[in-house]
Amino acid sequence: MIRKLKFILPAFFIALGIIISVYVNQSIASNQIAPSSVTQQTLNTQPLILYSLSDQTLNQPATKIPYYIRGDIHYFTKVQLDSHQTGGHSPWKDDPFLTVETIATNLIPNLPKDKHGNILMKVKTDNKNQITTYENGTVIKKISENKKNALVQISVPDFGTYDITLVSPKDAAGIYFIKEIKLTRIF
């Protein structure tokens, strides 16, 4: 009799667990309501500010303004600013599209890179229209630009869209600084 109970009791509890699990899952599924398009739009229109510099910060000398590079903050020295102004080593810094393409790829999730940070993915760039399309469907696109401000967007499939505002402060030798990064998630 005890041997039968040793087998029957565990089998009983396993069966009971399966029945309860199926019942609970069916109950949850029947009570869930699919999100309406209004709910979806509401979720998509609430951007999250990931990075922001105040106008007061941007009015300081360029050597005191934080410079965003792949999630880290750096500061230019006077020598670096002077070097850039005379045709230094990084001409991409005075183009907002190239700036985002160079220093903001850390925002793209699951982007394969080698140990030096080089992207290991096929990329198609249309320099005339300033649009880059990655193999995974991510698109970097310049939306607008004037002499001191620009907006560049990174759209990541099944994740969301980053709106990146850039400014070129008065004594920054034409270098564009990221002023703000907003993420609008896709849910």
Side-chain angles (χ1 to χ4, degrees):
M1 178 77 162
I2 294 178
R3 285 186 188 183
K4 287 183 183 178
L5 284 178
K6 283 184 181 180
F7 174 74
I8 293 174
L9 284 178
F12 171 77
F13 285 114
I14 290 171
L16 184 61
I18 292 170
I19 292 169
I20 290 172
S21 175
V22 169
Y23 175 77
V24 168
N25 287 337
Q26 286 176 346
S27 177
I28 289 172
S30 66
N31 288 330
Q32 288 182 340
I33 300 171
S36 70
S37 60
V38 173
T39 305
Q40 188 73 31
Q41 290 172 349
T42 302
L43 290 173
N44 286 342
T45 59
Q46 301 299 322
L48 176 64
I49 297 173
L50 302 177
Y51 177 81
S52 181
L53 297 177
S54 69
D55 289 336
Q56 181 181 0
T57 299
L58 291 165
N59 286 327
Q60 296 182 51
T63 56
K64 296 188 185 281
I65 300 173
Y67 190 76
Y68 179 98
I69 299 178
R70 293 183 195 100
D72 292 327
I73 299 299
H74 297 269
Y75 292 88
F76 285 106
T77 65
K78 179 87 169 105
V79 171
Q80 289 171 320
L81 292 171
D82 292 344
S83 172
H84 182 78
Q85 197 163 14
T86 59
H89 298 291
S90 305
W92 54 264
K93 291 177 183 169
D94 56 12
D95 181 310
F97 171 73
L98 294 176
T99 296
V100 168
E101 193 176 45
T102 304
I103 67 172
T105 55
N106 67 298
L107 300 171
I108 304 170
N110 303 320
L111 191 61
K113 296 179 184 177
D114 66 14
K115 65 181 181 179
H116 304 292
N118 300 314
I119 298 167
L120 299 172
M121 186 178 286
K122 291 181 183 175
V123 177
K124 179 183 173 192
T125 300
D126 176 352
N127 288 321
K128 181 181 176 191
N129 295 309
Q130 295 200 304
I131 299 172
T132 294
T133 306
Y134 289 81
E135 188 177 24
N136 69 353
T138 296
V139 175
I140 300 175
K141 179 180 182 180
K142 182 175 75 175
I143 305 299
S144 64
E145 178 185 6
N146 61 36
K147 293 183 184 212
K148 295 289 180 185
N149 299 296
L151 176 63
V152 177
Q153 196 171 69
I154 300 176
S155 299
V156 182
D158 302 321
F159 182 75
T161 301
Y162 297 97
D163 290 314
I164 302 173
T165 305
L166 299 102
V167 297
S168 182
K170 61 183 175 192
D171 69 338
I175 294 172
Y176 276 88
F177 287 68
I178 292 179
K179 177 183 181 180
E180 185 175 73
I181 301 172
K182 287 184 190 177
L183 170 62
T184 303
R185 283 295 313 265
I186 296 172
F187 292 98

